[in-house]
Amino acid sequence: MLKGKKTLIRPLEEEDIDRLYEWVNDQEVNLWASGSWPLSTLLNRELLRDRYLQESADGQRFAVLNEKNVLIGTIGFRDFNIPARSASLFISIGDKNFWGKGYGTDALITFVRFLFSQWNLHRLSLDTWDGNTRAIKAYEKAGFQVEGRQREARYILGKYHDAILMGLLKKDFE
Ligand SMILES: CC(C)(COP(=O)(O)OP(=O)(O)OC[C@H]1O[C@@H](n2cnc3c(N)ncnc32)[C@H](O)[C@@H]1OP(=O)(O)O)[C@@H](O)C(=O)NCCC(=O)NCCS
């Protein structure tokens, strides 16, 4: 269990699947998280079990809990590149009651610290889109910098948006 100031991070368990199922099929969460919706109804519990509970050499997902040990979201990494010691980070606070209250930033800082200190990663990358100001602010508060912008790379609610590429080096985090 990783402990932040407001959040706890632990491995995902079978009992978490129902909440994850609600969130991945919630259009608003999905809109902010990936910028593409609606989500396929084929994404059923079995697929979620494979996606969230199976360990993969390429990445892992974890549960984000609040101070009362209640599951509020997930965080993880993928695209693990061994020689470069880099990976891509992703986070989704699926419970909307916990948006904009500092939980995302706290989980990011806690998880990034874990990846830099325990996994000895050198660099983390992530991407979002220009309309997700809340995510960009949270990433910046955790130390990420905007490194690039892909013009009109996303199409969201009938409009093109730029993809925002962000990165963080271990030495900058420390
Ligand atoms: C993105 C996410 C992880 C951020 O976590 P969070 O707990 O909501 O964010 P925090 O409260 O830690 O920080 C958000 C910052 O944005 C600001 N903010 C909050 N709501 C906002 C809004 N609607 N628009 C713009 N800024 C907003 C906050 O004031 C805060 O900045 P401040 O501390 O300088 O005041 C979370 O909202 C989330 O998972 N959302 C849905 C999925 C998603 O967007 N995932 C990221 C995909 S790239």
Side-chain angles (χ1 to χ4, degrees), residues 154-165:
R154 305 282 177 90
Y155 188 71
I156 295 151
L157 298 178
K159 257 187 77 184
Y160 287 104
H161 285 269
D162 293 352
I164 305 295
L165 311 178

Side-chain angles (χ1 to χ4, degrees), residues 23 26-34 92-96 99:
W23 296 335
D26 181 313
Q27 288 190 341
E28 198 185 354
V29 175
N30 193 33
L31 166 72
W32 294 113
S34 70
S92 182
I93 301 295
D95 188 330
K96 295 176 228 178
W99 286 356

